[in-house]
Amino acid sequence: MNSEEVIRFTKENNVQMLDLKFIDLPGIWQHFSMSMSEMNDELFEEGVGFDGSSIRGFQSIDESDM
């Protein structure tokens, strides 16, 4: 599926939230959710940024604010 097909599928099936999953540096599953209103073609091309301060292996909260 391309991005247009995925977006159309989510609208046709009344999808409300997108749950993105990944594995952190120590190898533990992590995830975060976002509203479908944030989903667009750019998400597929550019990726998704997020605050990694609460994820092990990323910068701690006090280092990320600098």
Side-chain angles (χ1 to χ4, degrees):
M1 294 181 113
N2 62 35
S3 61
E4 291 174 5
E5 292 170 327
V6 171
I7 292 170
R8 184 173 47 249
F9 176 84
T10 61
K11 289 179 181 177
E12 290 171 355
N13 291 281
N14 199 30
V15 175
Q16 300 296 312
M17 299 293 292
L18 177 65
D19 192 48
L20 301 171
K21 297 180 182 184
F22 61 97
I23 296 176
D24 65 12
L25 296 176
I28 305 297
W29 275 103
Q30 302 289 333
H31 78 101
F32 66 96
S33 299
M34 56 193 292
S35 169
M36 290 306 297
S37 64
E38 299 177 69
M39 188 175 190
N40 55 39
D41 289 331
E42 188 176 301
L43 177 112
F44 289 88
E45 296 172 15
E46 302 295 325
V48 177
F50 65 94
D51 178 8
S53 62
S54 62
I55 308 296
R56 289 177 299 161
F58 289 74
Q59 286 185 320
S60 64
I61 190 94
D62 58 319
E63 293 171 335
S64 66
D65 289 342
M66 296 181 177

